Amino acid sequence: MPGVVIVGAQWGDEGKGKVVDQLAERADVVIRFQGGNNAGHTIVRDGQEFKFHLIPSGILHPGKTCAIGNGVVVDPKVLIGELDALRRQRIDVSGLRISANAHLIMPYHVILDTAGEAKLGKYEIGTTKRGIGPCYTDKAARLGIRVQDMLDPKILRTKIFAAMEPKKQLLRPFERDPRLDLHAMTEEYQRYGHRLEPHIADTAKICWDALDAGGTVLFEGAQATLLDLDHGTYPFVTSSNPVAGSACVGAGVGPTDIDEVWGVCKAYTTRVGAGPFPTELDDEIGAHLRDRGHEFGTTTGRERRCGWLDLVGLRYAARLNRLSALAITKLDVLAGLDPIRVAIRYRSSEGAVLDRFPYHQTVLHGARAEYVELPGFSEDIGECRTEDDLPQPAREYLAFIERETGVPVKLVGVGPGREQMVALG
Ligand code: IMP
């Protein structure tokens, strides 16, 4: 498995970290290619809990090179906090590499994110308020500050000045905010630069060297397909491209370096923030999924919206990412629900049958999901380790997903622990 991309196939929080953690054992390099600390996941290992927002969870494997690619937006304060927390937990972080070309989240990005949402009022996107959108905006406007800039105080100051100046109007209510003092900000980011310097590198070359030597590189996506800036449920999306194609740009490799694309999806669906969600459940089944699945955001603590599995969205993700394998997480959460419902098509507000994910926002907003019912199971499946251990209805459920998406299911999560995974096929 030389070049393997891992992406979220729904609206995020599918448990990609856990799947990456499994596959990382066989990888030489794990690299993140987009997003920032809007992502978050928790890995439980031997009873110890590790929280990640920026650093690839592959860091838990001693000696593994873990990289933050050029496509990621980095809040250096958060990154240093994460490094310190890992050190306190006695994890060797010497294998961390940060792309010199990755863009930095600055204090004004965080302020703009919050202010922008407040301005939108009831039309808000429901962002994580981590400054992600404003940072990518500056990147596209060529006003971004990059990781390498922290190592050159003169350039750093000039660039911060140039980036902050056009925002003065927008930032007027924050004029006296000490976080926006040019001198203090330059010094602060210079200090971060000193701390991170040993980790700053040409991460694209790290990938090339590993691939050229026949090694395996895992490209770790954050967020997910339906939150993609171009292909997701715009404008209720993130400001980067979480689809598999973006791994090439965000890590600096070519399309022919990619051999496999794994999509991760939950056995049901969740979404945080605003936007259309055709299989959303506002009833006791939704509450069951939220409680059993502990569906509260790792980054913001927000309650996640929950619903049945949506095969219209999943088929779309399968084709868009050209998935070669599926990992289905949290199958255990469905225990006790009978029947299990799965959306196989939508019905538009005019009554038209929609087998495919509608490209028009208005159509999607008005779409109602139509379901098939499959038999449920009541057993606790947390101890299952092989396909044969799974109850028949659970196996049928997985086979149904495979048939409908045309993608083989290769891994199934049956509980939060590392070992609670079933490999299929
Ligand atoms: P932003 O990425 O903070 O700009 O937020 C934009 C949208 O993406 C919001 O709906 C967020 O809730 C959502 N989002 C961002 N990161 C994640 C994630 O890691 N999991 C789930 N949703 C996310």
Side-chain angles (χ1 to χ4, degrees):
M1 44 174 247
V4 182
V5 181
I6 297 177
V7 293
Q10 297 165 312
W11 276 290
D13 310 310
E14 296 93 347
K16 294 177 288 292
K18 199 177 163 198
V19 175
V20 171
D21 189 38
Q22 291 277 327
L23 299 182
E25 271 171 32
R26 292 187 276 158
D28 300 283
V29 177
V30 183
I31 182 163
R32 261 195 66 179
F33 57 89
Q34 45 70 231
N37 58 310
N38 45 349
H41 59 261
T42 308
I43 302 264
V44 183
R45 240 191 198 200
D46 305 325
Q48 214 182 353
E49 208 176 80
F50 300 92
K51 288 195 183 297
F52 295 94
H53 292 287
L54 275 166
I55 300 178
S57 51
I59 203 82
L60 296 179
H61 299 263
K64 194 114 343 196
T65 301
C66 285
I68 294 177
N70 55 276
V72 176
V73 288
V74 178
D75 186 327
K77 194 173 175 181
V78 173
L79 178 56
I80 289 168
E82 214 167 287
L83 271 171
D84 288 345
L86 285 170
R87 281 205 188 98
R88 279 196 299 276
Q89 289 176 290
R90 301 191 181 286
I91 300 297
D92 174 13
V93 292
S94 59
L96 177 70
R97 296 291 175 269
I98 307 158
S99 168
N101 290 349
H103 280 246
L104 293 171
I105 296 184
M106 306 299 290
Y108 44 83
H109 292 141
V110 180
I111 295 174
L112 283 169
D113 199 352
T114 307
E117 285 285 87
K119 218 175 204 170
L120 284 172
K122 68 175 178 145
Y123 301 110
E124 71 165 12
I125 295 156
T127 74
T128 59
K129 300 195 173 86
R130 297 299 190 266
I132 308 297
C135 185
Y136 278 115
T137 304
D138 267 358
K139 176 178 177 176
R142 287 148 303 174
L143 283 171
I145 321 284
R146 296 190 293 173
V147 165
Q148 57 185 283
D149 298 327
M150 291 191 292
L151 306 179
D152 187 332
K154 217 168 131 206
I155 284 189
L156 182 63
R157 190 187 163 89
T158 311
K159 288 195 173 178
I160 295 178
F161 177 76
M164 234 185 341
E165 197 61 13
K167 301 186 183 73
K168 284 257 166 75
Q169 281 287 333
L170 296 164
L171 294 173
R172 187 144 289 162
F174 301 91
E175 224 161 24
R176 287 174 201 288
D177 193 317
R179 285 176 298 175
L180 297 180
D181 178 80
L182 175 64
H183 182 69
M185 199 186 294
T186 309
E187 287 206 328
E188 183 189 350
Y189 275 67
Q190 223 181 305
R191 277 199 304 278
Y192 296 150
H194 285 143
R195 276 290 309 274
L196 296 174
E197 192 167 2
H199 300 283
I200 299 174
D202 179 352
T203 51
K205 184 167 183 305
I206 290 172
C207 296
W208 305 337
D209 290 348
L211 291 165
D212 293 347
T216 294
V217 178
L218 222 55
F219 300 88
E220 176 180 347
Q223 291 82 48
T225 304
L226 299 177
L227 288 173
D228 186 275
L229 182 60
D230 287 73
H231 301 283
T233 49
Y234 192 91
F236 303 101
V237 293
T238 192
S239 295
S240 67
N241 292 107
V243 294
S246 161
C248 295
V249 180
V253 299
T256 48
D257 282 316
I258 309 296
D259 300 276
E260 287 182 34
V261 181
W262 285 55
V264 186
C265 84
K266 280 179 195 168
Y268 49 97
T269 311
T270 65
R271 164 160 216 177
V272 243
F277 182 176
T279 64
E280 184 166 16
L281 293 164
D282 273 327
D283 56 9
E284 70 283 0
I285 298 175
H288 169 113
L289 296 172
R290 190 172 306 111
D291 294 344
R292 292 279 189 87
H294 306 290
E295 297 296 354
F296 299 90
T298 321
T299 302
T300 58
R302 286 182 290 177
E303 217 175 64
R304 294 181 186 139
R305 300 157 64 192
C306 298
W308 293 116
L309 182 66
D310 179 351
L311 286 175
V312 185
L314 192 56
R315 288 194 298 255
Y316 176 64
R319 183 60 190 91
L320 194 55
N321 295 295
R322 217 1 154 190
L323 297 182
S324 38
L326 267 173
I328 306 221
T329 57
K330 294 192 157 183
L331 184 61
D332 54 302
V333 174
L334 295 184
L337 297 176
D338 196 3
I340 298 172
R341 302 178 87 197
V342 194
I344 50 156
R345 66 177 96 84
Y346 300 153
R347 180 82 56 175
S348 78
S349 49
E350 281 89 30
V353 171
L354 305 170
D355 290 314
R356 294 179 45 200
F357 202 70
Y359 66 85
H360 203 294
Q361 192 193 349
T362 314
V363 178
L364 182 60
H365 277 265
R368 266 185 312 105
E370 294 193 343
Y371 298 91
V372 292
E373 293 189 347
L374 299 172
F377 53 93
S378 53
E379 302 89 320
D380 176 0
I381 57 169
E383 298 301 318
C384 297
R385 294 294 175 270
T386 66
E387 189 170 358
D388 290 342
D389 294 341
L390 291 170
Q392 182 63 20
R395 294 208 299 267
E396 277 171 23
Y397 186 61
L398 298 171
F400 187 79
I401 297 171
E402 256 185 13
R403 266 200 314 278
E404 280 286 317
T405 57
V407 183
V409 176
K410 294 205 177 165
L411 268 182
V412 180
V414 292
R418 258 198 107 220
E419 66 298 341
Q420 290 182 291
M421 280 276 190
V422 175
L424 304 189

